[in-house]
Amino acid sequence: ARAILTNTMKIAVAISAAIAGSASAWSTLTMKAYTTTISEIPSITIPSQGTIRKFQLSHNDVTVKLSSLGASITSILLPDYSASAPQSSLDDVVLSYKSPKEQYEHKNTQFFGAVVGRVANRIKDGKFHLQQQQQDDEMTTYYNLDRNDGNVNHLHGGYEGFSHRIWEAEMDQNQVKFTLTSNDGDQGYPGGIQVTAIYSLVANDNSDDDVGATLKLQMHGCLLEGETKATPIALAQHSYFNLASHSSSERILKHVLHMPHCDKFTPLDNTSIPTKEVKAVKDVTAMDFTRPRAISDALIHYGEQMVGLTPEVSGENIHQIAKDGSTQTI
C-alpha cells in the first residue's frame, strides 16, 4: 500500500517474521530463548561517500547481520540440524553480496536486503501528480521522476533511492536504528522527509515453551519539521529468502506457499505495471495459492499459461533451474 504524507500525518509500518524453521528445508528448529546480544563489527569506509557501519544481532542460535548501506539485512544465519550437517552448523537463508563494499560497487541492482523508497515498486512512466490544499484553493502539481526501470518506469525510488544511501545508525538496547533524511526534490519527489528502520531480534512471544525468535522491523516516515509539501511514500524491505539455505541443492523449488485468503490477483502489462484488471486465481492456475503448493508446480503452470510454453518445455526449464541454479530459461 502507498500513503501520502502531509504536514499533519505520520506513517508507521511494522514488519515481523518469526524464525522457527531450520536451514534445512523440511526439518523443524527449536530455539531456547536467551537474551539478545548486539554488537558492531568492523566498518568499511567508501572514499568521498562515508562509512558503512555493520552490526550483528544474536539470539541463541540465530544471528542477523545488518549494514547501514540501504539499512540492509546482509545475513540471517540459522542452525542446520539435518542429519548430514556438522553439529552446530549455521547456514544463511538470505541473498546478499559478499560485503557491503561489493554491494556499493555493484549498485545493488537487485536491491538485495535493502529498504527501498521513497516509493517501492513501479510508478508508470515515472510521473505522478498530487492535489493539495493551498489556502482556499486546491492545487494539482505534476512531478517527473527517474525512469530507472528500462528507461520506461520509475522503480524503488530511482537511481539513488534509499537502498543506495548510507544511513545514520545507532545501537539502542536490543535493537539497531537506521535513520535517513531525504530532502525536497530528492529523485524528483516533493517534500523533505525523515525515515527510520528499526531492527530487533527477540524471543518469540507466541510460544508457551519460550522457544523461537522473532526478527522485527519497524519503519517510520514523517515530514521534516516545517515542511508543507505532501509526498507519496511506500517503504519496503527487499530481502530475497531461500529457506533451504545457500548450501541446499533444492533452491526454492520445494518451498510451499499458502495464501488461503488471496483469491484474486492483478495482471501486469509488459512493463510490469498493473493493467487495472482484477482476476480470480481459480481461472489462472499459475497464480492460485489458496491451497498449499510447491513453487516448482506453480512455475510449471506459469510457463504454460503465462509464457506459452508446452508442458514438456516448461517442466524441462524447471529441471534446469534445479540442476544449475540458473533462472535464464524462465
Side-chain angles (χ1 to χ4, degrees):
R2 295 176 184 172
I4 302 298
L5 286 183
T6 70
N7 58 359
T8 59
M9 176 181 175
K10 181 176 181 179
I11 185 171
V13 182
I15 300 174
S16 64
I19 301 175
S22 166
S24 178
W26 301 111
S27 57
T28 300
L29 167 67
T30 300
M31 296 179 295
K32 295 181 181 179
Y34 292 97
T35 302
T36 299
T37 60
I38 179 172
S39 60
E40 184 165 3
I41 51 184
S43 59
I44 297 173
T45 299
I46 305 295
S48 75
Q49 297 298 320
T51 298
I52 300 173
R53 299 176 65 186
K54 300 187 295 179
F55 301 88
Q56 180 171 297
L57 299 170
S58 296
H59 187 92
N60 195 14
D61 292 334
V62 178
T63 295
V64 178
K65 296 182 180 181
L66 307 170
S67 162
S68 64
L69 177 58
S72 300
I73 295 173
T74 60
S75 178
I76 297 179
L77 297 171
L78 299 182
D80 186 346
Y81 289 148
S82 61
S84 60
Q87 189 174 7
S88 301
S89 174
L90 296 177
D91 214 340
D92 202 351
V93 296
V94 293
L95 301 184
S96 67
Y97 289 89
K98 292 180 179 179
S99 71
K101 183 174 184 291
E102 186 176 292
Q103 177 180 331
Y104 176 83
E105 292 173 343
H106 286 78
K107 306 294 186 184
N108 195 11
T109 54
Q110 301 301 320
F111 304 93
F112 288 140
V115 172
V116 298
R118 286 190 194 189
V119 175
N121 218 325
R122 292 167 175 82
I123 295 178
K124 181 177 174 61
D125 299 328
K127 299 177 181 180
F128 72 93
H129 66 273
L130 289 178
Q131 292 180 321
Q132 191 170 8
Q133 193 74 25
Q134 298 286 346
Q135 295 180 350
D136 296 331
D137 299 322
E138 188 172 74
M139 303 289 292
T140 301
T141 308
Y142 294 83
Y143 297 95
N144 292 301
L145 309 173
D146 291 339
R147 295 187 182 187
N148 61 315
D149 182 37
N151 202 33
V152 177
N153 300 316
H154 178 81
L155 177 64
H156 294 334
Y159 290 112
E160 298 294 333
F162 296 173
S163 55
H164 304 314
R165 308 283 180 83
I166 298 176
W167 297 45
E168 296 293 324
E170 60 181 300
M171 294 186 292
D172 180 16
Q173 297 181 352
N174 69 334
Q175 62 188 27
V176 177
K177 178 180 179 181
F178 296 106
T179 304
L180 182 71
T181 297
S182 175
N183 293 316
D184 179 29
D186 184 10
Q187 308 304 299
Y189 288 98
I193 67 172
Q194 184 179 81
V195 293
T196 59
I198 303 173
Y199 292 92
S200 58
L201 186 65
V202 298
N204 186 355
D205 57 11
N206 294 322
S207 173
D208 294 334
D209 298 325
D210 204 24
V211 296
T214 298
L215 173 62
K216 292 185 176 180
L217 168 59
Q218 293 178 297
M219 297 188 287
H220 304 264
C222 62
L223 292 174
L224 296 178
E225 186 176 356
E227 180 60 73
T228 59
K229 294 181 181 178
T231 187
I233 186 169
L235 305 176
Q237 216 297 335
H238 207 279
S239 286
Y240 293 75
F241 286 83
N242 178 2
L243 301 180
S245 82
H246 293 340
S247 63
S248 172
S249 61
E250 295 174 350
R251 310 296 176 176
I252 65 166
L253 295 178
K254 289 187 177 181
H255 285 31
V256 175
L257 179 60
H258 186 204
M259 298 187 290
H261 305 297
C262 295
D263 59 353
K264 297 180 178 64
F265 75 102
T266 55
L268 305 178
D269 66 17
N270 59 5
T271 68
S272 296
I273 296 294
T275 63
K276 299 183 180 181
E277 296 176 274
V278 177
K279 289 189 176 182
V281 297
K282 65 180 179 62
D283 298 326
V284 184
T285 310
M287 305 300 291
D288 189 358
F289 292 92
T290 53
R291 296 181 179 180
R293 186 179 186 194
I295 296 295
S296 57
D297 178 65
L299 286 174
I300 289 173
H301 281 96
Y302 183 90
E304 297 172 19
Q305 297 180 338
M306 313 296 277
V307 184
L309 302 178
T310 65
E312 293 77 18
V313 172
S314 185
E316 175 60 28
N317 286 341
I318 296 299
H319 174 72
Q320 183 68 17
I321 293 175
K323 184 169 62 175
D324 63 13
S326 169
T327 59
Q328 300 302 309
T329 52
I330 291 298

